[in-house]
């Protein structure tokens, strides 16, 4: 595709050859420079942050806004903290995860459908919804959030996720079905000290509510909806552009240019500790961007124009503005101005259908010097039809090199991003929701690039342990070639000289080795790596950063495992590459047909692999703490990513969808989910996975890279167990129960077809028993295996006669009746004791309290 577009590119002041989606050029010290610009506003808010910051309490990660204000603390292990998820998943194990709303309400209350409810201290960390059509949640009505008995949010859900309620409920802490390609999200962390309840006016169909559970309320302040958290919004709006941790003045960058022969490993950095890698960047000139790019855009006609605000570096010596447009419209001419002064002119030339057009204008330095933001305006001059625009990248010239300082993706699929940039358009004549265009890279180039990104691996060893070993592409966010990726913790800039950047904090005590391993059959030439390291005190409570890669064919009947690990740590999400292997001419069956499609459809659904639900099992418990409703739902989108619409948000996105080409045999999807506010801590192992198809029945070539901190031993152990079917065990523990009836139960845990047969005791009166805690415990968790046929079992818990809180279990399931849940005994009531007596007092009006066995794990 070397044509008029290429001529225009060469005329645009040395516009780079790589013009896939972003055309940024990064400098040697780009990370520090961009972060400096990005945290300019954050510095102004530092006094406010210090005033509002909550002290970190033992046994918890950062709480509330500190989750986003202190991303440098991600490596800290979280002790006894637990997380879980309420969702509309089909309790009978079918694929009815919300299509009919069968399981979408825990109960009906005066205000409507209760979808989440907890007693004790904790935090609502993330909420996601979708419904037909395409994620428009207008029909759900109002959402009501009650914390500690007080209503903190009561507004139409569509207004909340569209940012109309106001800060802190603004993009990207919220997003509607356009922002997230079919999903509606609320990422505002809402801590509570005693209780929470989330209610929606009407049956919501599909939803997830993720929550954190604490053993006590130390260090927890109830969410204040009057705090706009502007500093957090400002920080998150620079996702994929700047380090969210801000600038560490003590950090020192180390840069190396090198080549890697086939089968060899090239050292990048050898570091002495104690220290922390704050930023890691790679540049691979021989890799070209994936040519298939999906975008939405707008156009203005005669007399019209557009304008938006853009961030630039305050020490810039000029600014470059790069525009992506549809060149099939001929002779587009528009004037560009910056802060009201003429700065250049866009000219598209003759029509060139079939691909994307890219142009760049260098703004005269005198128009931008000393500024940290500018207003960019475009004004129609002439065109055969109109002037269109799909995306703008803004770069600043700092110390002789170009640094990307802002991105604006224009179009109806980016309402939050447009609003955050103050985007306005006059005489709008066009709004394209989805345009699939290509760049002119040949198949050989694309194949060679994908080979490099799949076969070359990033390997990092901390204190003698290799914890990062993953393909370069997937580690940075794209396992399907070089696609544009912007997340809170990493980015891929497919522009010429663009960098792959990661901002995960990576602490080490004694040493760290960073290397590139070339597992492919071709040499990698001209690679550049830069590692930024700061001194750090050794910390026994910090985990090592891990990136665990896994690629294989899916196995029928088995979840795809993101992570299966022992010990203690915290799971922060995954980049997931799904290569569906469902042929287009396959015959659909009742077994694999999603409920949203008619069973009479004779052609297989090639995206049916996305019907799989995520399931996370924490600390060896047999019930999944997380049980989702679909693969694109886990990635906080909906309806197969709105039928293949790509999107990027700080914590979730779908940067790649490929069809029958570019290395994809049939249908392929690349997605990421970062669980920063809703991380999953574990003290004794984690199995995190996702189905492939509605019943783990669709073939696929899957790969994933899981991000987590750990490498420490298990921090809990089982110290006691009571088997209620064993009279000796009852007597040994002084077990007493009033109004008890014992009946056999033959059923299953959720997420499995394995049957379990055992007697279950149901008590309508107080239950009491003695349990061992072990020596030197720092708190303990009481676990129960019970019968969840009846929802809302509830007891008041006492420890040695002292109130310990309310154990509320709102879940119910008449199909898979076994449930393992737990209650954390406050450390203030267990510390220094080798044993305690526990009493469970049923709450009036609640169903009988059921149990087959109890166990105690001590921290």
């Amino acid at each position: 595709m070397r044509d008029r577009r290429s001529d225009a590119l060469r005329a645009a002041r040395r516009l780079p050859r790589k013009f896939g989606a972003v055309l940024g050029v990064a400098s040697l010290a780009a990370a520090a420079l961009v972060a400096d610009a990005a945290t300019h506003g954050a510095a102004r808010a530092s006094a406010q942050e210090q005033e509002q910051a909550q002290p970190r309490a033992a046994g918890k990660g950062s709480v509330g806004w500190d989750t986003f204000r202190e991303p440098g603390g991600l490596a800290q292990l979280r002790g006894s903290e637990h997380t879980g998820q309420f969702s509309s998943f089909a309790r009978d194990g079918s694929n009815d995860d919300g299509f009919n709303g069968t399981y979408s309400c825990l109960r009906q209350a005066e205000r409507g459908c209760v979808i989440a409810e907890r007693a004790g201290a904790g935090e609502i960390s993330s909420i996601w919804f979708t419904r037909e059509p395409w994620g428009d949640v207008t029909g759900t009505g109002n959402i009501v959030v009650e914390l500690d008995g007080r209503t903190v949010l009561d507004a139409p859900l569509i207004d909340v996720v569209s940012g109309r309620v106001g800060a802190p409920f603004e993009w990207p802490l919220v997003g509607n079905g356009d922002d997230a390609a079919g999903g509606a999200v609320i990422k505002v962390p809402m801590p509570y000290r005693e209780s929470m309840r989330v209610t929606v006016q009407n049956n919501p169909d599909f939803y997830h509510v993720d929550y954190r559970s604490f053993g006590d309320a130390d260090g927890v302040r109830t969410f204040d909806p009057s705090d706009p958290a502007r500093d957090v919004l400002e920080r998150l709006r620079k996702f994929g552009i700047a380090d969210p941790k801000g600038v560490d003045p003590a950090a020192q960058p180390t840069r190396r240019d090198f080549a890697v022969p086939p089968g060899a490993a090239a050292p990048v950095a050898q570091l002495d500790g104690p220290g922390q890698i704050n930023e890691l960047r790679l540049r691979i000139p021989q890799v070209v961007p994936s040519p298939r790019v999906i975008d939405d855009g707008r156009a203005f006609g005669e007399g019209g124009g557009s304008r938006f605000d853009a961030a630039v570096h305050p020490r810039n010596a000029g600014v470059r503005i790069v525009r992506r447009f549809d060149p099939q419209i001929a002779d587009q001419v528009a004037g560009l101005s910056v802060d009201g002064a003429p700065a250049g002119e866009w000219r598209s030339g003759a029509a060139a259908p079939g691909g994307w057009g890219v142009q760049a204008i260098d703004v005269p330095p005198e128009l931008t010097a000393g500024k940290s933001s500018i207003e960019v305006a475009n004004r129609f001059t002439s065109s055969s039809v109109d002037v269109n625009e799909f995306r703008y990248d803004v770069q600043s010239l700092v110390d002789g090199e170009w640094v990307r300082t802002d991105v604006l993706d224009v179009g109806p699929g980016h309402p939050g991003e447009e609003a955050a940039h103050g985007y306005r358009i006059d005489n709008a004549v066009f709004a394209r929701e989805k345009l699939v265009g290509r760049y002119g890279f040949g198949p050989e180039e694309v194949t060679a690039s994908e080979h490099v990104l799949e076969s070359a691996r990033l390997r990092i060893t901390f204190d003698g342990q290799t914890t990062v070993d993953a393909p370069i592409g997937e580690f940075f966010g794209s396992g399907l070639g070089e696609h544009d990726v912007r997340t809170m913790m990493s980015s891929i800039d497919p522009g010429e000289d663009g960098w792959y950047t990661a901002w995960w904090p990576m602490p080490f005590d004694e040493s760290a080795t960073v290397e590139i391993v070339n597992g492919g059959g071709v040499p990698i030439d001209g690679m550049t790596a830069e590692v930024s390291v700061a001194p750090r005190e050794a910390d026994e409570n910090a985990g090592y950063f891990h990136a665990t890669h896994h690629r294989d064919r899916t196995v029928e009947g088995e979840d795809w495992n993101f992570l299966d690990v022992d010990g203690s740590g915290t799971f922060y999400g995954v980049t997931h590459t799904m290569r569906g292997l469902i042929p287009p001419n396959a015959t659909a069956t009742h077994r694999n047909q999603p409920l949203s499609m008619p069973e009479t459809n004779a052609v297989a659904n090639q995206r049916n692999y996305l019907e799989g639900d995520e399931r996370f099992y924490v600390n060896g418990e047999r019930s999944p703490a997380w049980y989702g409703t679909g693969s694109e739902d886990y990635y906080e989108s909906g309806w197969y990513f709105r039928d293949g619409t790509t999107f990027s948000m700080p914590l979730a996105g779908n940067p790649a969808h490929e069809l029958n080409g570019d290395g994809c045999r049939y249908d392929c999807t690349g997605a990421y989910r970062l669980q920063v506010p809703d991380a999953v801590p574990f003290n004794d192992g984690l199995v995190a996975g996702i189905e492939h198809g509605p019943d783990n029945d669709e073939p696929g070539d899957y790969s994933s890279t899981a991000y987590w901190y750990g490498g420490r031993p298990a921090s809990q152990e089982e110290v006691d167990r009571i088997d209620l079917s064993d009279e000796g065990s009852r007597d040994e523990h002084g077990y007493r129960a009033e109004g008890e009836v014992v009946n056999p139960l033959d059923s299953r845990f959720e997420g499995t077809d394995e049957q379990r047969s055992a007697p279950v005791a149901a008590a309508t009166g107080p239950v009491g028993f003695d349990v061992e805690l072990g020596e030197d415990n720092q708190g303990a968790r009481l676990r129960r295996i019970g019968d969840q046929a009846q929802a809302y079992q509830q007891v008041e818990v006492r420890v040695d006669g002292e109130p310990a809180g309310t154990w509320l279990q709102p879940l119910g399931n008449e199909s898979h009746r076994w449930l393992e849940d737990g209650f954390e005994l406050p450390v203030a009531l267990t510390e220094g004791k080798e044993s305690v007596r526990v009493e469970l007092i049923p709450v009036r009006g609640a169903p009988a309290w059921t149990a087959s066995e109890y166990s105690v794990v001590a921290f």
Side-chain angles (χ1 to χ4, degrees):
M1 197 169 67
R2 185 185 180 282
D3 54 11
R4 284 176 290 269
R5 279 190 301 269
S6 297
D7 295 334
L9 293 176
R10 286 193 295 273
R13 290 185 179 255
R14 302 180 306 281
L15 192 64
R17 178 179 62 86
K18 289 171 72 175
F19 52 95
V22 187
L23 296 170
V25 182
S27 69
L28 167 63
L33 293 171
V34 175
D36 183 35
T39 55
H40 228 47
R44 295 193 298 269
S46 61
Q48 175 190 4
E49 291 183 22
Q50 292 174 5
E51 180 181 346
Q52 294 177 345
Q54 302 178 160
R56 185 187 297 273
K60 305 178 183 68
S62 297
V63 178
W65 294 121
D66 290 349
T67 300
F68 294 116
R69 287 173 175 153
E70 301 175 354
L74 296 180
Q76 294 293 306
L77 303 184
R78 300 191 175 198
S80 58
E81 177 186 329
H82 282 70
T83 66
Q85 180 187 74
F86 292 101
S87 83
S88 56
F89 79 94
R91 273 43 170 186
D92 62 358
S94 71
N95 197 37
D96 184 13
D97 293 320
F99 294 105
N100 301 307
T102 308
Y103 306 101
S104 299
C105 300
L106 298 176
R107 66 184 177 94
Q108 289 290 336
E110 182 180 352
R111 298 298 302 272
C113 166
V114 177
I115 60 173
E117 194 162 11
R118 291 283 297 173
E123 178 178 292
I124 299 172
S125 53
S126 179
I127 306 177
W128 166 90
F129 295 93
T130 196
R131 66 184 306 138
E132 294 185 279
W134 294 119
D136 181 356
V137 295
T138 302
T140 302
N142 273 36
I143 181 172
V144 179
V145 177
E146 299 168 86
L147 305 178
D148 299 337
R150 182 169 65 95
T151 299
V152 298
L153 179 64
D154 184 355
L157 177 59
I158 187 63
D159 288 350
V160 176
V161 299
S162 299
R164 292 192 284 266
V165 169
F169 297 95
E170 291 183 357
W171 181 88
L173 284 168
V174 300
N176 63 23
D178 295 320
D179 295 303
V185 296
I186 302 173
K187 310 300 288 189
V188 173
M190 293 181 267
Y192 50 90
R193 295 176 59 82
E194 298 175 355
S195 64
M196 73 86 160
R197 181 186 298 130
V198 181
T199 307
V200 289
Q201 184 177 353
N202 303 314
N203 190 309
D205 293 344
F206 300 85
Y207 79 90
H208 302 163
V209 177
D210 307 337
Y211 64 88
R212 303 165 65 188
S213 178
F214 308 138
D216 55 51
D218 292 348
V220 179
R221 297 176 187 168
T222 305
F223 170 70
D224 178 6
S226 67
D227 178 4
R230 289 290 181 190
D231 61 300
V232 175
L233 285 165
E234 184 177 353
R235 187 188 301 254
L236 286 180
R237 284 173 179 171
K238 295 175 175 63
F239 70 98
I241 300 295
D243 187 343
K245 304 186 300 297
V247 176
D248 185 342
Q252 295 294 324
T254 299
R255 178 171 173 170
R256 182 166 184 259
D257 299 323
F258 57 96
V260 195
V268 171
Q270 179 64 53
L271 309 167
D272 294 326
Q276 176 171 290
I277 297 175
N278 280 340
E279 182 181 70
L280 171 64
R281 301 195 299 150
L282 298 178
R283 191 165 59 196
I284 317 174
Q286 73 193 72
V287 171
V288 301
S290 295
R292 186 176 190 266
V293 174
I294 305 167
D295 203 358
D296 58 333
R298 301 187 184 276
F300 48 84
E302 186 174 357
S306 67
R307 61 185 61 223
F308 61 92
D309 300 320
V312 298
H313 198 285
R315 292 193 290 108
N316 77 82
V319 167
R320 173 178 289 167
I321 301 173
V322 184
R323 164 184 170 242
R324 176 194 291 163
F325 65 98
D326 177 5
Q328 66 181 317
I329 304 301
D331 302 321
Q332 301 176 47
V333 182
L336 172 72
S337 63
V338 171
D339 289 337
E345 189 173 65
W346 303 111
R347 287 183 171 272
S348 69
W356 289 109
V358 178
Q359 292 179 309
I361 293 177
D362 286 2
V363 177
E366 58 269 21
L367 300 184
T368 61
K371 297 179 179 179
S372 58
S373 65
I374 57 174
E375 183 186 66
V376 178
N378 305 290
R379 180 57 53 182
F380 183 95
T381 301
S382 62
S383 174
S384 62
V385 180
D386 52 37
V387 174
N388 64 67
E389 51 194 6
F390 283 73
R391 173 169 166 144
Y392 290 96
D393 286 78
V394 179
Q395 305 167 8
S396 299
L397 183 62
V398 183
D399 297 335
E401 295 186 324
W402 291 102
V403 180
R404 185 172 67 172
T405 51
D406 211 345
V407 173
L408 168 61
D409 215 331
V410 173
H414 297 84
E417 192 165 348
E418 288 183 340
H421 286 85
Y423 176 80
R424 293 89 78 199
I425 186 169
D426 303 321
N427 192 24
V429 297
F430 168 96
R432 183 68 176 265
E433 291 187 355
K434 182 180 178 182
L435 181 63
V436 180
R438 297 184 64 83
Y439 288 107
F441 301 111
E444 297 81 5
E445 287 181 290
V446 174
T447 299
S449 294
E450 291 201 353
H451 175 74
V452 169
L453 294 179
E454 290 180 4
S455 61
R457 302 172 74 91
L458 172 68
R459 190 162 66 191
I460 309 179
T461 301
F462 299 109
D463 298 336
Q465 303 178 48
T466 298
T467 65
V468 175
D469 189 356
I472 288 174
E474 199 167 78
F475 175 84
F476 288 97
S478 175
L480 291 173
E482 189 181 80
H483 288 268
D484 176 37
V485 177
R486 284 186 297 146
T487 84
M488 176 180 171
M489 302 308 299
S490 65
S491 72
I492 292 179
D493 174 2
E496 180 75 6
D497 293 331
W499 294 86
Y500 298 12
T501 307
W503 295 295
W504 296 98
M506 306 180 194
F508 55 95
D509 295 336
E510 298 178 358
S511 65
T513 302
V514 182
E515 54 189 343
I516 301 298
V517 180
N518 185 356
V522 298
I524 304 174
D525 298 317
M527 178 179 276
T528 302
E530 185 175 288
V531 181
S532 180
V533 183
R536 173 189 171 109
E537 294 184 6
D539 185 350
E540 292 184 355
N541 195 46
Y544 292 108
F545 175 72
H546 290 67
T548 301
H549 173 70
H550 176 204
R551 180 169 183 178
D552 210 335
R553 290 292 183 97
T554 57
V555 177
E556 186 165 358
E558 297 181 9
D559 287 1
W560 174 262
N561 273 343
F562 296 141
L563 188 64
D564 186 348
V565 65
D566 297 326
S568 59
T570 310
F571 174 69
Y572 279 104
V574 65
T575 292
H576 189 189
T577 308
M578 296 163 273
R579 303 168 184 89
L581 297 178
I582 305 170
N585 57 351
T587 301
T589 65
H590 174 77
R591 177 177 63 88
N592 69 12
Q593 190 77 298
L595 292 177
S596 60
M597 299 178 63
E599 294 182 14
T600 56
N601 188 347
V603 178
N605 169 17
Q606 285 191 279
R607 308 209 80 190
N608 208 47
Y609 61 88
L610 292 172
E611 293 293 329
D613 307 334
E614 78 271 18
R615 296 191 285 220
F616 299 168
Y617 297 84
V618 182
N619 298 333
E621 295 186 7
R622 280 161 278 193
S623 293
W626 293 60
Y627 199 140
T629 58
S631 300
E632 77 273 31
D633 303 355
Y634 173 64
Y635 297 105
E636 301 195 314
S637 180
W639 310 108
Y640 296 167
F641 299 100
R642 243 185 190 180
D643 196 24
T645 301
T646 57
F647 78 101
S648 294
M649 293 277 278
L651 300 172
N654 167 219
H657 178 221
E658 296 181 351
L659 283 170
N660 308 314
D662 302 323
C664 176
R665 183 179 181 186
Y666 296 128
D667 183 287
C668 302
T669 301
Y672 63 86
R673 170 75 182 274
L674 302 186
Q675 298 188 217
V676 174
D678 48 354
V680 183
F682 54 94
N683 301 302
D684 191 14
L686 172 69
V687 179
I690 195 167
E691 294 177 294
H692 46 97
D695 195 26
N696 271 331
D697 53 354
E698 294 294 5
D701 175 2
Y702 274 25
S703 63
S704 58
T705 296
Y707 310 107
W708 59 287
Y709 288 87
R712 303 294 186 181
S715 57
Q716 71 175 44
E717 64 175 339
E718 182 176 304
V719 292
D720 206 352
R721 179 180 293 270
I722 309 173
D723 182 353
L724 297 186
S725 67
D726 183 342
E727 288 298 327
S729 182
R730 283 175 171 246
D731 292 343
E732 180 183 353
H733 292 88
Y735 181 87
R736 302 289 184 271
E738 296 182 14
E740 183 182 71
V741 176
V742 179
N743 287 305
L745 175 60
D746 185 11
S747 188
R748 292 168 288 179
F749 288 94
E750 291 161 348
T752 180
D753 291 329
E754 182 179 346
Q755 293 289 128
R756 181 181 193 270
S757 297
V760 174
T764 57
V767 176
F769 47 85
D770 301 318
V771 293
E772 299 293 326
L773 297 177
E775 298 180 0
D776 301 325
N777 76 83
Q778 298 180 36
R781 181 173 174 85
L782 178 63
R783 302 201 298 201
R784 165 187 73 142
I785 294 178
D787 178 2
Q788 61 171 333
Q790 289 188 299
Y792 276 91
Q793 297 177 38
Q794 185 176 5
V795 292
E796 297 297 332
V797 182
R798 296 177 185 171
V799 175
D800 287 340
E802 296 293 326
T806 300
W807 190 346
L808 168 65
Q809 182 50 268
L811 297 179
N813 191 335
E814 296 180 354
S815 299
H816 291 60
R817 289 172 57 176
W818 288 116
L819 174 71
E820 184 167 14
D821 64 348
F823 179 87
E824 191 167 335
L825 304 177
V827 65
L829 300 181
T830 66
E831 192 172 22
K833 299 179 180 180
E834 293 188 5
S835 65
V836 294
R837 183 159 186 83
V838 175
E839 296 174 279
L840 308 175
I841 314 299
V843 173
R844 178 176 296 180
W849 182 257
T850 66
S852 173
E853 66 178 54
Y854 293 96
S855 61
V856 178
V857 293
F859 302 115

